[in-house]
Amino acid sequence: TLEARVTGSKVEVSSNDWSESIRENLLLVDKSFILPQIVGSFDPILLTRPRRFGKTMCVSMAEDFFGVPRGETLEENKARYMKLEIGADPEFIKKHCGQYPVIRLDLKASDALPPSWHIAYLFAARG
């Protein structure tokens, strides 16, 4: 059984940016335990859940973790994840945090899709 824990103390409903939410200590569900599952799979990942279940935040977390840091050092990024559930596996953080170019396609903002479609894809180059 996988269990997520809650982190942060401030409540804000409108934020979908993982790194901003962590920096501002916003209340969120720590789903960092799924990051090793993303690395272990070479199949495309499709996140399907009802609205407001954290799909965009989960993709934002993966993008922040795997992608090359912007606006901070790699060590600052790694330190942020050491405080989360994934921090129980420091070797995973050392090996994968900030190591991949990430392309994120967010079709939620597209006018080509009906408003009820909320799909986010995350592609990471694996070497």
Side-chain angles (χ1 to χ4, degrees):
T1 303
L2 298 175
E3 294 182 16
R5 65 181 185 170
V6 176
T7 182
S9 60
K10 299 177 192 172
V11 176
E12 185 177 312
V13 178
S14 63
S15 179
N16 283 327
D17 186 294
W18 173 263
S19 59
E20 176 185 322
S21 297
I22 293 291
R23 278 193 293 273
E24 296 192 17
N25 198 29
L26 298 181
L27 188 67
L28 55 84
V29 176
D30 177 6
K31 297 181 183 178
S32 62
F33 61 86
I34 70 162
L35 293 171
Q37 296 172 20
I38 293 172
V39 170
S41 172
F42 285 99
D43 296 326
I45 299 168
L46 175 63
L47 301 173
T48 59
R49 288 285 176 251
R51 291 184 52 171
R52 312 302 302 168
F53 266 67
K55 295 177 298 295
T56 303
M57 186 66 85
C58 191
V59 169
S60 177
M61 174 193 59
E63 177 185 25
D64 180 63
F65 181 83
F66 293 114
V68 177
R70 291 171 285 174
E72 65 183 356
T73 67
L74 180 58
E75 292 307 314
E76 289 171 329
N77 196 28
K78 288 180 179 181
R80 182 169 58 244
Y81 285 94
M82 291 301 290
K83 300 174 188 172
L84 301 175
E85 189 74 26
I86 193 66
D89 189 356
E91 285 303 312
F92 180 81
I93 293 173
K94 183 179 178 181
K95 184 175 180 181
H96 297 287
C97 187
Q99 300 300 312
Y100 305 99
V102 174
I103 299 171
R104 177 180 174 178
L105 301 176
D106 188 352
L107 303 178
K108 180 171 53 175
S110 173
D111 292 334
L113 295 173
S116 62
W117 287 33
H118 297 282
I119 304 170
Y121 294 97
L122 177 76
F123 298 95
R126 297 185 179 122

